[in-house]
Amino acid sequence: MTTGQPQPPRVRRNKRSDGGRNSETDRLLRTLLRRRKHQLSVEEVTVTPGPQVRRAVTAAALGNMMEWFDFGVYAYLAATMGKVFFPSSSPAAQLVSTFATFAAAFLVRPLGGLVFGPLGDRIGRQRVLAATMIMMAISTFAVGFLPGYDSIGFAAPLLLLLCRLVQGFSTGGEYAGATTYIAEYAPDKRRGFLGSWLDFGTFVGYALGSGLVTVLTAVLGTDGLESWGWRIPFMVAGPLGLIGLYMRMKLEETPAFKQEAEAARQEAENASSGDTPVEEARQSGKGRLKEIFTGHWEAVLICMGLVLLYNVTNYMVTSYLPTFMTETLGEDATTAQLLVLGTMVVVALTITTVGRTSDRWGRRPVFMASSVALVALAYPAFLLIRGGGILLPAFGCLILGLLLVCFAGTSASTLPALFPTHLRYGALSIAFNISVSLFGGTTPLVASALVASTGSHMIPAYYLMIAGVIGFIAAFFLHETAGKPLRGSGPMVETPEQARELVAHSRTEAGRQARDIWIRLRHPWSHHRDKQGDRDK
């Protein structure tokens, strides 16, 4: 040690008088150290075999694919649907009316989240996901059989609105339930990769829906599409829904929900006189809502900020951009559709890579970096889209697609980890759907109205930049969850060998921590000298 440094005072101990006290202190400290760190056991580690995980991911992603098949169809048919259901209006009014009907479905999504979310926490994720699939398939299929305005007048847009409201209500429990289901099945170290397959289904569904409309436009022409061709994509949703329903009915409940239900059952059995008033309040819907907004309000706000970031970008690219390029910029419809369709293909091909990257680097760095990139690149991207031709708009669409995939590939693994198991479905449904309804689903409507009123073609870029700022703030307060167990659940791995390795590593770490604490408590000046020596070096 360097000369001149203060030496720790020497304490002379009276062995005869302090021996009994030191022995008693030693025993007390050992007891505290044993209780300080609970050693992990093999029974506490959940093993989810690969085939079971793949089946869960496939069934959840298929439902999401069907939902976004409908969105892709509706976005690409916005101009056509306006002529069929709102023929007496001007082209601009038709477009706004169509997007208003599109946005109306999002206004009832929070109501669906309030119903399906807490219900999924009470009766299970699998049952609720099957119910939302049925409602979504029937309402989308029914749109294909609706008569137009020329047949029944004002009743036609009302029936379209009714179908969209049923779709929105069912969707209120769909995405949050699917993300919860996958997150509660996925091993901790692969949750980002496996969760990204859910949004892979999203963009595959969108690409299939928009691709089908593009083919129909090229084959039937504008007149054929307005006459009867617009019905075909909606009718395809019926068989897709039956396939998705069959797969979801075959699923088992998630391990996390089973453990939570078993713990609740044992608590009820051990109670001498049934549920206490506190427990009854916690199990009721009102009690769950109160707990969500009082005990987890920070997580709710972070969730809403991240959802706003993802969905404003998502709906700007997928739902508004095709119409913006054709109706506002005057581009050829087929060219615009192919550009956005190509962007969706790029997103689908890269999304699982982003999910795997978030497992390695963390969710928070991915969200923060991509938020900054959105603020910096949204304006140049729309300048390129306005450049005309094919090459410049293609680069602009590619930039927006690569920004979008950063949010899409990370959200499904990040959002469920914000909440504990016993209210995860409900809290995520409510926070997600409020944010989507207020900011995401209204993006096409607000953007088209602002462009029409201001005459500025750069309004969509400014809108994205604001979303990027809000998303960065939410990501800044996000706690890292990559590679960690979900709140309220134990560790999850793929094989029994991984479970044994995890337990062995946990015990080694527990022993090392207990040893360090013991040394610091019994020999505090030794710890002081070690730190002082490190500084001297």
Side-chain angles (χ1 to χ4, degrees), residues 25-59:
T25 302
D26 290 349
R27 285 195 296 270
L28 176 61
L29 289 174
R30 290 192 186 99
T31 302
L32 292 175
L33 287 171
R34 282 196 299 267
R35 294 178 179 177
R36 181 181 179 88
K37 180 69 176 179
H38 172 72
Q39 291 187 356
L40 190 67
S41 64
V42 176
E43 290 75 17
E44 293 174 303
V45 181
T46 302
V47 179
T48 52
Q52 196 172 3
V53 173
R54 286 192 292 271
R55 187 165 59 249
V57 171
T58 302

Short mmCIF file of all heavy atoms in Angstrom, two decimals, residues 25-59:
data_model
loop_
_atom_site.label_atom_id
_atom_site.label_comp_id
_atom_site.label_asym_id
_atom_site.label_seq_id
_atom_site.Cartn_x
_atom_site.Cartn_y
_atom_site.Cartn_z
N THR A 25 -22.94 -14.21 17.42
CA THR A 25 -23.05 -13.37 16.22
C THR A 25 -22.79 -14.17 14.96
O THR A 25 -23.47 -14.00 13.95
CB THR A 25 -22.06 -12.20 16.30
OG1 THR A 25 -22.32 -11.45 17.49
CG2 THR A 25 -22.18 -11.29 15.09
N ASP A 26 -21.78 -15.06 15.05
CA ASP A 26 -21.48 -15.90 13.89
C ASP A 26 -22.67 -16.76 13.50
O ASP A 26 -23.01 -16.88 12.32
CB ASP A 26 -20.27 -16.80 14.19
CG ASP A 26 -18.98 -15.99 14.27
OD1 ASP A 26 -19.02 -14.81 13.89
OD2 ASP A 26 -17.96 -16.56 14.72
N ARG A 27 -23.29 -17.37 14.48
CA ARG A 27 -24.45 -18.22 14.17
C ARG A 27 -25.58 -17.40 13.57
O ARG A 27 -26.26 -17.82 12.63
CB ARG A 27 -24.92 -18.94 15.43
CG ARG A 27 -24.01 -20.08 15.85
CD ARG A 27 -24.72 -20.97 16.85
NE ARG A 27 -25.00 -20.25 18.09
CZ ARG A 27 -24.19 -20.18 19.14
NH1 ARG A 27 -23.00 -20.79 19.08
NH2 ARG A 27 -24.53 -19.52 20.23
N LEU A 28 -25.80 -16.19 14.11
CA LEU A 28 -26.86 -15.34 13.60
C LEU A 28 -26.57 -14.92 12.16
O LEU A 28 -27.46 -14.94 11.29
CB LEU A 28 -27.00 -14.10 14.49
CG LEU A 28 -28.02 -13.04 14.03
CD1 LEU A 28 -29.42 -13.65 13.98
CD2 LEU A 28 -27.99 -11.83 14.95
N LEU A 29 -25.31 -14.55 11.90
CA LEU A 29 -24.95 -14.13 10.55
C LEU A 29 -25.10 -15.27 9.55
O LEU A 29 -25.55 -15.07 8.42
CB LEU A 29 -23.52 -13.59 10.53
CG LEU A 29 -23.32 -12.23 11.21
CD1 LEU A 29 -21.85 -11.88 11.25
CD2 LEU A 29 -24.09 -11.15 10.48
N ARG A 30 -24.69 -16.47 9.97
CA ARG A 30 -24.84 -17.62 9.06
C ARG A 30 -26.31 -17.86 8.72
O ARG A 30 -26.67 -18.18 7.59
CB ARG A 30 -24.22 -18.86 9.70
CG ARG A 30 -22.71 -18.84 9.81
CD ARG A 30 -22.17 -20.22 10.17
NE ARG A 30 -20.75 -20.17 10.41
CZ ARG A 30 -20.18 -20.10 11.62
NH1 ARG A 30 -20.96 -20.07 12.71
NH2 ARG A 30 -18.87 -20.05 11.75
N THR A 31 -27.15 -17.73 9.73
CA THR A 31 -28.59 -17.94 9.48
C THR A 31 -29.13 -16.89 8.52
O THR A 31 -29.88 -17.20 7.58
CB THR A 31 -29.36 -17.86 10.81
OG1 THR A 31 -28.84 -18.84 11.71
CG2 THR A 31 -30.85 -18.11 10.59
N LEU A 32 -28.74 -15.62 8.73
CA LEU A 32 -29.19 -14.56 7.84
C LEU A 32 -28.69 -14.77 6.42
O LEU A 32 -29.41 -14.52 5.44
CB LEU A 32 -28.72 -13.20 8.36
CG LEU A 32 -29.36 -12.73 9.67
CD1 LEU A 32 -28.71 -11.43 10.14
CD2 LEU A 32 -30.86 -12.52 9.48
N LEU A 33 -27.46 -15.24 6.27
CA LEU A 33 -26.91 -15.46 4.94
C LEU A 33 -27.63 -16.59 4.22
O LEU A 33 -27.84 -16.54 3.02
CB LEU A 33 -25.41 -15.76 5.04
CG LEU A 33 -24.52 -14.56 5.37
CD1 LEU A 33 -23.10 -15.02 5.67
CD2 LEU A 33 -24.52 -13.58 4.23
N ARG A 34 -27.98 -17.64 4.96
CA ARG A 34 -28.71 -18.74 4.33
C ARG A 34 -30.08 -18.28 3.84
O ARG A 34 -30.57 -18.71 2.81
CB ARG A 34 -28.87 -19.89 5.33
CG ARG A 34 -27.61 -20.72 5.50
CD ARG A 34 -27.94 -22.05 6.17
NE ARG A 34 -28.51 -21.86 7.49
CZ ARG A 34 -27.80 -21.84 8.63
NH1 ARG A 34 -26.49 -21.99 8.58
NH2 ARG A 34 -28.39 -21.66 9.79
N ARG A 35 -30.71 -17.39 4.60
CA ARG A 35 -32.04 -16.92 4.20
C ARG A 35 -31.97 -15.81 3.16
O ARG A 35 -32.97 -15.52 2.51
CB ARG A 35 -32.78 -16.39 5.43
CG ARG A 35 -33.09 -17.50 6.44
CD ARG A 35 -33.79 -16.93 7.65
NE ARG A 35 -34.12 -17.97 8.62
CZ ARG A 35 -34.70 -17.73 9.80
NH1 ARG A 35 -35.00 -16.49 10.14
NH2 ARG A 35 -34.96 -18.72 10.62
N ARG A 36 -30.81 -15.17 3.06
CA ARG A 36 -30.69 -14.03 2.14
C ARG A 36 -30.85 -14.45 0.69
O ARG A 36 -31.46 -13.76 -0.11
CB ARG A 36 -29.33 -13.37 2.33
CG ARG A 36 -29.12 -12.15 1.44
CD ARG A 36 -27.74 -11.57 1.67
NE ARG A 36 -27.52 -10.44 0.80
CZ ARG A 36 -27.85 -9.19 1.10
NH1 ARG A 36 -28.41 -8.92 2.26
NH2 ARG A 36 -27.62 -8.20 0.25
N LYS A 37 -30.35 -15.60 0.35
CA LYS A 37 -30.37 -16.06 -1.03
C LYS A 37 -31.04 -17.43 -1.10
O LYS A 37 -30.50 -18.41 -0.61
CB LYS A 37 -28.94 -16.13 -1.59
CG LYS A 37 -28.87 -16.60 -3.03
CD LYS A 37 -29.43 -15.57 -3.98
CE LYS A 37 -29.28 -16.00 -5.44
NZ LYS A 37 -29.84 -15.02 -6.35
N HIS A 38 -32.23 -17.47 -1.71
CA HIS A 38 -32.92 -18.74 -1.88
C HIS A 38 -32.29 -19.51 -3.02
O HIS A 38 -32.18 -19.01 -4.14
CB HIS A 38 -34.40 -18.49 -2.17
CG HIS A 38 -35.13 -19.75 -2.55
ND1 HIS A 38 -35.43 -20.73 -1.64
CD2 HIS A 38 -35.60 -20.17 -3.75
CE1 HIS A 38 -36.06 -21.71 -2.25
NE2 HIS A 38 -36.18 -21.40 -3.53
N GLN A 39 -31.86 -20.72 -2.73
CA GLN A 39 -31.22 -21.53 -3.76
C GLN A 39 -32.27 -22.13 -4.68
O GLN A 39 -33.27 -22.68 -4.24
CB GLN A 39 -30.38 -22.64 -3.11
CG GLN A 39 -29.16 -22.12 -2.39
CD GLN A 39 -28.26 -23.24 -1.91
OE1 GLN A 39 -28.60 -24.41 -2.05
NE2 GLN A 39 -27.12 -22.90 -1.34
N LEU A 40 -32.02 -22.02 -5.97
CA LEU A 40 -32.94 -22.52 -6.98
C LEU A 40 -32.90 -24.04 -7.01
O LEU A 40 -31.83 -24.65 -6.89
CB LEU A 40 -32.54 -21.95 -8.35
CG LEU A 40 -33.51 -22.17 -9.51
CD1 LEU A 40 -34.80 -21.40 -9.27
CD2 LEU A 40 -32.86 -21.70 -10.81
N SER A 41 -34.06 -24.65 -7.18
CA SER A 41 -34.14 -26.11 -7.31
C SER A 41 -34.66 -26.47 -8.69
O SER A 41 -35.25 -25.64 -9.39
CB SER A 41 -35.08 -26.69 -6.24
OG SER A 41 -36.41 -26.23 -6.44
N VAL A 42 -34.43 -27.72 -9.09
CA VAL A 42 -34.86 -28.18 -10.41
C VAL A 42 -36.37 -28.08 -10.55
O VAL A 42 -36.89 -27.78 -11.63
CB VAL A 42 -34.37 -29.63 -10.66
CG1 VAL A 42 -34.88 -30.15 -11.99
CG2 VAL A 42 -32.85 -29.69 -10.62
N GLU A 43 -37.11 -28.30 -9.45
CA GLU A 43 -38.57 -28.27 -9.52
C GLU A 43 -39.10 -26.87 -9.83
O GLU A 43 -40.21 -26.72 -10.33
CB GLU A 43 -39.16 -28.75 -8.19
CG GLU A 43 -38.99 -30.23 -7.92
CD GLU A 43 -37.56 -30.57 -7.50
OE1 GLU A 43 -36.82 -29.63 -7.12
OE2 GLU A 43 -37.19 -31.76 -7.55
N GLU A 44 -38.31 -25.85 -9.54
CA GLU A 44 -38.76 -24.48 -9.78
C GLU A 44 -38.48 -24.00 -11.20
O GLU A 44 -38.91 -22.92 -11.58
CB GLU A 44 -38.05 -23.53 -8.80
CG GLU A 44 -38.46 -23.74 -7.36
CD GLU A 44 -37.64 -22.89 -6.42
OE1 GLU A 44 -36.41 -23.00 -6.43
OE2 GLU A 44 -38.25 -22.09 -5.67
N VAL A 45 -37.78 -24.77 -11.99
CA VAL A 45 -37.47 -24.42 -13.38
C VAL A 45 -38.47 -25.12 -14.29
O VAL A 45 -38.65 -26.34 -14.22
CB VAL A 45 -36.04 -24.83 -13.75
CG1 VAL A 45 -35.74 -24.43 -15.20
CG2 VAL A 45 -35.04 -24.19 -12.81
N THR A 46 -39.15 -24.36 -15.14
CA THR A 46 -40.14 -24.91 -16.07
C THR A 46 -39.45 -25.28 -17.38
O THR A 46 -38.74 -24.47 -17.96
CB THR A 46 -41.25 -23.89 -16.36
OG1 THR A 46 -41.87 -23.52 -15.13
CG2 THR A 46 -42.29 -24.47 -17.30
N VAL A 47 -39.66 -26.52 -17.80
CA VAL A 47 -39.10 -27.01 -19.07
C VAL A 47 -40.22 -27.04 -20.10
O VAL A 47 -41.23 -27.72 -19.91
CB VAL A 47 -38.47 -28.40 -18.90
CG1 VAL A 47 -37.93 -28.91 -20.23
CG2 VAL A 47 -37.37 -28.37 -17.86
N THR A 48 -40.06 -26.31 -21.19
CA THR A 48 -41.03 -26.30 -22.29
C THR A 48 -40.38 -26.92 -23.51
O THR A 48 -39.53 -26.28 -24.15
CB THR A 48 -41.50 -24.87 -22.60
OG1 THR A 48 -40.34 -24.04 -22.80
CG2 THR A 48 -42.30 -24.30 -21.45
N PRO A 49 -40.75 -28.14 -23.86
CA PRO A 49 -40.12 -28.83 -25.00
C PRO A 49 -40.32 -28.06 -26.30
O PRO A 49 -41.33 -27.37 -26.51
CB PRO A 49 -40.83 -30.18 -25.03
CG PRO A 49 -41.40 -30.36 -23.67
CD PRO A 49 -41.75 -28.98 -23.19
N GLY A 50 -39.35 -28.21 -27.21
CA GLY A 50 -39.37 -27.50 -28.48
C GLY A 50 -40.64 -27.70 -29.29
O GLY A 50 -41.23 -26.71 -29.76
N PRO A 51 -41.11 -28.94 -29.51
CA PRO A 51 -42.35 -29.12 -30.30
C PRO A 51 -43.56 -28.43 -29.69
O PRO A 51 -44.38 -27.87 -30.42
CB PRO A 51 -42.52 -30.66 -30.30
CG PRO A 51 -41.16 -31.20 -30.08
CD PRO A 51 -40.47 -30.22 -29.18
N GLN A 52 -43.65 -28.44 -28.38
CA GLN A 52 -44.78 -27.78 -27.72
C GLN A 52 -44.71 -26.27 -27.91
O GLN A 52 -45.73 -25.61 -28.16
CB GLN A 52 -44.74 -28.13 -26.22
CG GLN A 52 -46.04 -27.84 -25.49
CD GLN A 52 -46.00 -28.38 -24.08
OE1 GLN A 52 -45.00 -28.92 -23.63
NE2 GLN A 52 -47.09 -28.22 -23.36
N VAL A 53 -43.52 -25.70 -27.82
CA VAL A 53 -43.34 -24.27 -28.02
C VAL A 53 -43.67 -23.89 -29.45
O VAL A 53 -44.35 -22.89 -29.72
CB VAL A 53 -41.90 -23.85 -27.66
CG1 VAL A 53 -41.67 -22.38 -28.03
CG2 VAL A 53 -41.65 -24.06 -26.18
N ARG A 54 -43.20 -24.68 -30.42
CA ARG A 54 -43.46 -24.37 -31.83
C ARG A 54 -44.95 -24.42 -32.14
O ARG A 54 -45.47 -23.60 -32.91
CB ARG A 54 -42.70 -25.34 -32.73
CG ARG A 54 -41.21 -25.07 -32.78
CD ARG A 54 -40.55 -25.87 -33.89
NE ARG A 54 -40.57 -27.30 -33.63
CZ ARG A 54 -39.63 -27.95 -32.96
NH1 ARG A 54 -38.58 -27.29 -32.47
NH2 ARG A 54 -39.71 -29.24 -32.77
N ARG A 55 -45.67 -25.37 -31.55
CA ARG A 55 -47.12 -25.45 -31.76
C ARG A 55 -47.82 -24.23 -31.19
O ARG A 55 -48.74 -23.67 -31.81
CB ARG A 55 -47.66 -26.73 -31.12
CG ARG A 55 -49.12 -27.01 -31.44
CD ARG A 55 -49.51 -28.43 -31.10
NE ARG A 55 -49.30 -28.76 -29.71
CZ ARG A 55 -48.37 -29.60 -29.25
NH1 ARG A 55 -47.54 -30.18 -30.10
NH2 ARG A 55 -48.24 -29.85 -27.96
N ALA A 56 -47.40 -23.78 -30.02
CA ALA A 56 -48.00 -22.59 -29.41
C ALA A 56 -47.73 -21.34 -30.24
O ALA A 56 -48.64 -20.53 -30.47
CB ALA A 56 -47.46 -22.41 -27.99
N VAL A 57 -46.50 -21.20 -30.70
CA VAL A 57 -46.14 -20.03 -31.50
C VAL A 57 -46.91 -20.02 -32.82
O VAL A 57 -47.41 -18.98 -33.26
CB VAL A 57 -44.62 -19.99 -31.74
CG1 VAL A 57 -44.26 -18.91 -32.75
CG2 VAL A 57 -43.89 -19.76 -30.43
N THR A 58 -47.02 -21.17 -33.46
CA THR A 58 -47.72 -21.26 -34.74
C THR A 58 -49.19 -20.88 -34.62
O THR A 58 -49.73 -20.11 -35.43
CB THR A 58 -47.59 -22.67 -35.33
OG1 THR A 58 -46.21 -23.00 -35.48
CG2 THR A 58 -48.27 -22.77 -36.68
N ALA A 59 -49.85 -21.43 -33.60
CA ALA A 59 -51.28 -21.15 -33.43
C ALA A 59 -51.52 -19.68 -33.11
O ALA A 59 -52.47 -19.06 -33.62
CB ALA A 59 -51.85 -22.03 -32.32
#
